[in-house]
Amino acid sequence: MPMHFDNTYAHQLEGFYAPWQGDDVPEPRLLKLNTDLADELGLDSEWLSSERGVRALCGAENPDGGFPLAMAYAGHQFGNFSPQLGDGRAILVGEILSPNGKRHDLHLKGSGATPFSRGGDGKAGVGPVLREYLIGEAMHALGVPTTRALAAVSTGEQIARETPQPGAVLARVAASHIRVGTFQFFAARGEQDRIRTLADYTIARHFPDVQESASPYLELLKSVSNAQARLVSQWMLIGFVHGVMNTDNTTASGETIDYGPCAFMERYDPRTVFSSIDLQGRYAFGNQPAIAQWNLARFAETLLPLIDASEQRAIEEASAVITDFNSLYETHWLAGMRRKLGLHTAREEDLQLCNELFEALSGTERDFTRFFRGLSDCWRGHGSTCEDNSALANWHQQYVLRAGAEEVPDDERAKGMDRVNPLYIPRNHKVEEALSSALEDDLAPFEKLLKVLSTPFDERPGCESYTQPAPPGSGRYRTFCGT
Ligand code: AMP
Ligand code: MG
């Protein structure tokens, strides 16, 4: 068999999904196969590229051993609860164990309408599919936990959007697709037994250490809280705006999921929003940690009856975990900031130093990514990039004093900083350029960008244009959901 499945979700969680086939499509064509990922998963790229392989990658055919299904979930979308969302345009084909023993969901997005489609067509377009491919791979290369693209397949269909678009399917892999919204689906229906089954399944799959604990469900909440604190801190350290942090897009595993309206910030501004529908700025860059905490509180609510028979005690214990998210987040973020600044030791005043940096930065037009990348220059004797702004120059003086007090050779510090401050990120205008060419059947700019983004920390000749912000006059960048 070309794919070896071991489908625990299908077999252990009956009632949590609808068995479902993808649509047949007129002309499936492989746009891109992630051969590195296929190797990692122990999948044969040659078979995946064959006619049957491509049909399996877009859901037109069920591979041997697969158990395709659409998962049920609910979710708070922009703060409002929808009791029934679910995979409206996706199916879980099955679970693959990679040679290193890790379990992965193989999931298809754009494979056709399902019982959860709520009037949607269940389809996806070539543009958004390639966009998720690019940004997910960039995130992976940046060291951020994420779902990853295995393949993009065009279907030969035209799909109805504002203007007709060529259709495509994204095959992606994830540690799992269990979301806060999965718990909410059953909590909203008062199905306590199913919440327990799902919690036990999540613990066994993602946090097996918790199994032996005296209070496993409280520990599950803590574990997910920690995974999300770590994840969102990583977003904040690279200027990533997810854009649609609904509870149905918040994973238990702590992986980034659903690259719809996301984008990278250029000029530092905590109010940065790209999504055309985020009118209140709920999911603005600077709000992301608070929103993650809000989402975890919704998760905690679904677990209360499992945490303690006394509701009062359950609320107290869960609330303490939610409150602790702030310090967990800060610990992860500060550790990341120290790496960005090349600080090798921890000092009490570091938090203040970081906060002062962002205060100084917010008054400038500086590009977030370039600023941090340029910071190592001063340790190479190239002077400071902060001189032309008095607030930044002041900050830089303090920084040099703080860092210089450590006995770390300058070149070692500079090298370490360049290993965490990327040179290449998926800049919005470059992503758009790659997608427009792809829609004209020229995948060369997509391939080039993907390659550049695969090693974001290593400077290479010929790639200068990928380090530049959008040209002046580009206007505000806008992104769209569910396209
Ligand atoms: P997303 O914004 O991709 O996280 O999707 C939110 C919800 O809308 C999920 O339940 C999706 O399955 C559903 N959805 C998004 N686009 C479509 C579509 N074209 N057809 C059916 N359901 C969709
Ligand atoms: Mg989603």
Side-chain angles (χ1 to χ4, degrees):
M1 275 203 300
M3 289 189 183
H4 297 274
F5 290 103
D6 179 38
N7 303 322
T8 59
Y9 204 88
H11 292 123
Q12 296 173 27
L13 295 180
E14 211 182 306
F16 290 72
Y17 59 82
W20 202 253
Q21 242 341 117
D23 284 354
D24 198 2
V25 297
E27 215 181 313
R29 188 166 64 91
L30 193 58
L31 293 174
K32 180 69 186 167
L33 178 66
N34 192 339
T35 50
D36 288 348
L37 179 58
D39 288 349
E40 247 176 72
L41 296 171
L43 300 176
D44 176 3
S45 289
E46 210 169 301
W47 183 80
L48 290 171
S49 311
S50 72
E51 191 185 331
R52 296 207 60 183
V54 175
R55 286 177 61 76
L57 286 172
C58 70
E61 203 169 297
N62 187 21
D64 288 343
F67 188 127
L69 59 87
M71 293 168 83
Y73 54 85
H76 275 90
Q77 299 182 300
F78 290 91
N80 302 308
F81 187 62
S82 303
Q84 175 149 345
L85 294 170
D87 285 334
R89 55 161 170 175
I91 50 172
L92 171 64
V93 178
E95 295 154 45
I96 297 171
L97 288 174
S98 57
N100 65 11
K102 260 181 81 181
R103 180 177 297 278
H104 305 267
D105 277 4
L106 173 61
H107 198 250
L108 309 180
K109 189 164 173 178
S111 52
T114 75
F116 302 106
S117 295
R118 300 169 295 141
D121 63 359
K123 305 288 183 181
V126 166
V129 161
L130 292 180
R131 192 169 193 280
E132 174 155 348
Y133 196 123
L134 271 175
I135 301 187
E137 285 305 282
M139 293 286 272
H140 172 73
L142 289 163
V144 184
T146 177
T147 63
R148 291 187 69 187
L150 176 62
V153 176
S154 64
T155 59
E157 278 180 330
Q158 288 289 108
I159 62 169
R161 294 295 181 263
E162 228 164 83
T163 54
Q165 297 284 321
V169 174
L170 178 78
R172 72 178 182 199
V173 300
S176 85
H177 284 81
I178 303 166
R179 311 139 191 271
V180 168
T182 318
F183 286 84
Q184 289 181 295
F185 183 93
F186 299 99
R189 287 160 179 76
E191 297 189 40
Q192 273 319 311
D193 290 351
R194 287 206 161 133
I195 295 280
R196 185 183 297 270
T197 304
L198 182 62
D200 289 341
Y201 178 86
T202 307
I203 288 171
R205 184 155 173 182
H206 294 298
F207 309 105
D209 295 352
V210 163
Q211 265 164 330
E212 301 309 318
S213 152
S215 42
Y217 305 111
L218 189 66
E219 291 301 318
L220 170 63
L221 178 60
K222 284 185 194 167
S223 303
V224 174
S225 183
N226 186 47
Q228 285 290 330
R230 178 163 171 265
L231 176 67
V232 175
S233 75
Q234 286 185 272
W235 294 353
M236 299 303 287
L237 292 165
I238 55 173
F240 176 77
V241 184
H242 182 279
V244 61
M245 288 178 72
N246 294 333
T247 56
D248 51 300
N249 292 334
T250 304
T251 56
S253 66
E255 283 185 345
T256 314
I257 191 174
D258 278 2
Y259 293 93
C262 65
F264 281 72
M265 177 176 68
E266 293 200 319
R267 183 174 73 84
Y268 171 72
D269 183 347
R271 293 165 305 180
T272 301
V273 168
F274 296 106
S275 171
S276 58
I277 61 168
D278 191 0
L279 302 175
Q280 314 290 323
R282 178 180 172 89
Y283 299 141
F285 178 72
N287 281 358
Q288 296 185 117
I291 290 290
Q293 185 183 36
W294 191 89
N295 291 346
L296 287 162
R298 305 290 76 75
F299 180 45
E301 284 163 3
T302 73
L303 297 178
L304 288 177
L306 302 185
I307 289 175
D308 202 297
S310 145
E311 193 183 22
Q312 178 67 27
R313 241 193 330 262
I315 290 175
E316 278 168 22
E317 290 185 352
S319 301
V321 177
I322 301 304
T323 304
D324 281 351
F325 175 85
N326 288 327
S327 59
L328 262 181
Y329 168 78
E330 193 180 277
T331 304
H332 287 296
W333 181 79
L334 197 53
M337 279 302 298
R338 288 196 180 101
R339 288 191 291 273
K340 284 176 90 67
L341 299 178
L343 302 177
H344 288 231
T345 54
R347 286 214 199 148
E348 189 117 14
E349 67 270 22
D350 293 344
L351 181 61
Q352 199 187 338
L353 184 73
C354 294
N355 289 338
E356 283 171 10
L357 166 59
F358 287 103
E359 256 165 56
L361 263 183
S362 62
T364 72
E365 292 294 311
R366 288 253 186 341
D367 178 86
F368 183 91
T369 306
R370 290 175 64 85
F371 175 79
F372 280 103
R373 182 69 182 199
L375 214 47
S376 61
D377 282 357
C378 69
W379 305 109
R380 295 199 168 88
H382 297 169
S384 148
T385 52
C386 297
E387 233 88 279
D388 58 340
N389 175 288
S390 64
L392 273 181
N394 273 340
W395 175 83
H396 198 265
Q397 265 180 3
Q398 286 185 62
Y399 163 62
V400 170
L401 281 176
R402 158 70 183 89
E406 295 177 343
E407 278 183 32
V408 176
D410 288 353
D411 63 329
E412 187 187 319
R413 189 189 307 279
K415 274 190 198 144
M417 291 168 75
D418 288 354
R419 278 195 294 270
V420 294
N421 291 308
L423 186 56
Y424 309 113
I425 55 159
R427 292 195 177 267
N428 303 320
H429 64 294
K430 284 290 187 190
V431 171
E432 290 305 318
E433 203 177 284
L435 300 184
S436 342
S437 298
L439 288 171
E440 307 276 305
D441 271 334
D442 175 12
L443 280 162
F446 168 84
E447 294 279 1
K448 175 83 200 275
L449 180 56
L450 190 60
K451 190 157 193 327
V452 170
L453 296 174
S454 70
T455 51
F457 304 106
D458 306 335
E459 186 163 9
R460 267 152 307 150
C463 295
E464 292 74 15
S465 75
Y466 295 87
T467 67
Q468 301 298 323
S474 302
R476 190 172 153 208
Y477 185 62
R478 306 287 262 160
T479 58
F480 303 91
C481 279
T483 42

